[in-house]
Structure formats: structure tokens, C-alpha cells
Amino acid sequence: AVEEEWERSHRQGVHLVAVCDDTFPSLLKTIQDCPPLLSVLGSLAFFQKRYLFAIVGSRQGSLQGQHFVKRLVGELGENNFCIVSGLALGIDTAAHEAALPFGTVAVLAGGVDKVYPPENQKLYEQIQERGCIVSEMPLGQEPQAKCFPRRNRLISGLASGVLVVEGRFQSGSLLTAQYAVDQGREVFAVPGSPLDPRCFGSNLLLKQGATLVTRGEDIL
């Protein structure tokens, strides 16, 4: 089974990176449940960027939220930041798209050869060419609900900090922020209207002590 996995990965251009390798992401090595092996499509060089920084948020992100993310990522990219996110619709998509000129890392819940959601097929291909796609799951594995929390811990584990831009109560974004706290990462949040349920999570994080972000300088 190991030999078959190795051969399939080689045929599809997938790098298998073990935790003992020099190319394995250094920050990820520090988390308690670090995966022993990563599958990577694209360039491993992005793991060596000076700053890996995660941006996550609502799949139903507002147009204002997505516009803010794109402006913010432009500021961060010019300061040698590489953006990590989960390839979800909404805020994740906006973050990846804006980060393409600077480098971006997409973390998947299924195998690196399984695009999810399918609406992001084109973005997936662009990231593969201009960044990298990462998973701890074997090739061919379809994303399942139970895999997304594991995916979220990798998003925070890869990064030095996590920014939440819009997130509902008990959302995956809040879970990622909790993982970030447990892993000793810094948590940031963008304030939003108290009347918008998409902003409940980010406003809650601010109440709990997350760093408030209204511009790139707040993160820099």
C-alpha cells in the first residue's frame, strides 16, 4: 500500500513531505498533533516564506468583507506575507485570489487531488501553479465532514497568526481561532455589525482579547 501511494504521488507530481524533512513547515512541527506526512501540490518554497499568515471567514462572506480582505492581503503581500486558507467559498476564496501574486497555501480536508468545493476548480489550478496545496489525507480521499476540523488545525498550525473575517456562532472559523490559541498563535479579528450574524464570531473574539484589525499595519 505504501509503495502504491508513493507511485501514485510521483505520477501526479505530488510531493510527500515527512516531518523529519528539512522542507517540512517549521511552525507545523511545533503543534501537539503534528501530522507525520504531508501531501503537497505545487512549490515547497512557500513553506520557507518569512511569514505564513492565515485568513479565514464565512463561506457566505459579505461583499464588504471580501473587498476588505483583498485590500488587506495586498498590504501583507507587499511585506513578504504568504497567505494560508482553506479554499472555501467566501472569505477564503477572496484571500487566496488576492494572494496569488505573492504566494498562497490552500489546505484541503480531502486528498490534494480532490478539489472542494468544485466551484473553486480554476482557483485550485491557479494556486497549484503560483503557490501550493496541502493535505494530510491520502490521494483520492473525498472530503468528509469529520475531516474539516482536522484541516482547520493545520491552517492555524502552518501560520504565525490567524485572522478571522466574519464567522458565525460555532463556525469553522471560530474553531480555527481556538486551535490557534491552543497552538500559541496570535489571533486577530475584523469587527463587524452586531446586527449581522456573520460577524458574531469575529466580534466575540474581540471581546475575548483578539487583536482588532482595520488595516494591514495592525498585523504588521
Side-chain angles (χ1 to χ4, degrees), residues 86 107-111 116 134-135 137 141-144 147-149 151:
V107 187
L108 304 189
Y116 186 85
V134 181
S135 176
M137 298 301 174
Q141 178 161 322
E142 297 288 347
Q144 302 172 15
C147 298
F148 284 90
R151 185 275 309 263

Side-chain angles (χ1 to χ4, degrees), residues 93-166:
T93 292
H96 284 307
E97 288 177 342
L100 284 172
F102 312 106
T104 185
V105 177
V107 187
L108 304 189
V112 290
D113 55 339
K114 294 297 179 181
V115 184
Y116 186 85
E119 295 92 329
N120 273 344
Q121 174 71 44
K122 183 178 178 181
L123 178 59
Y124 169 93
E125 293 169 359
Q126 291 173 321
I127 295 173
Q128 186 177 340
E129 294 176 358
R130 305 170 68 179
C132 67
I133 298 161
V134 181
S135 176
E136 65 176 328
M137 298 301 174
L139 285 175
Q141 178 161 322
E142 297 288 347
Q144 302 172 15
K146 64 181 181 181
C147 298
F148 284 90
R150 294 181 59 84
R151 185 275 309 263
N152 292 349
R153 94 187 192 292
L154 294 186
I155 293 174
S156 57
L158 283 164
S160 54
V162 174
L163 171 68
V164 175
V165 184
E166 301 179 346

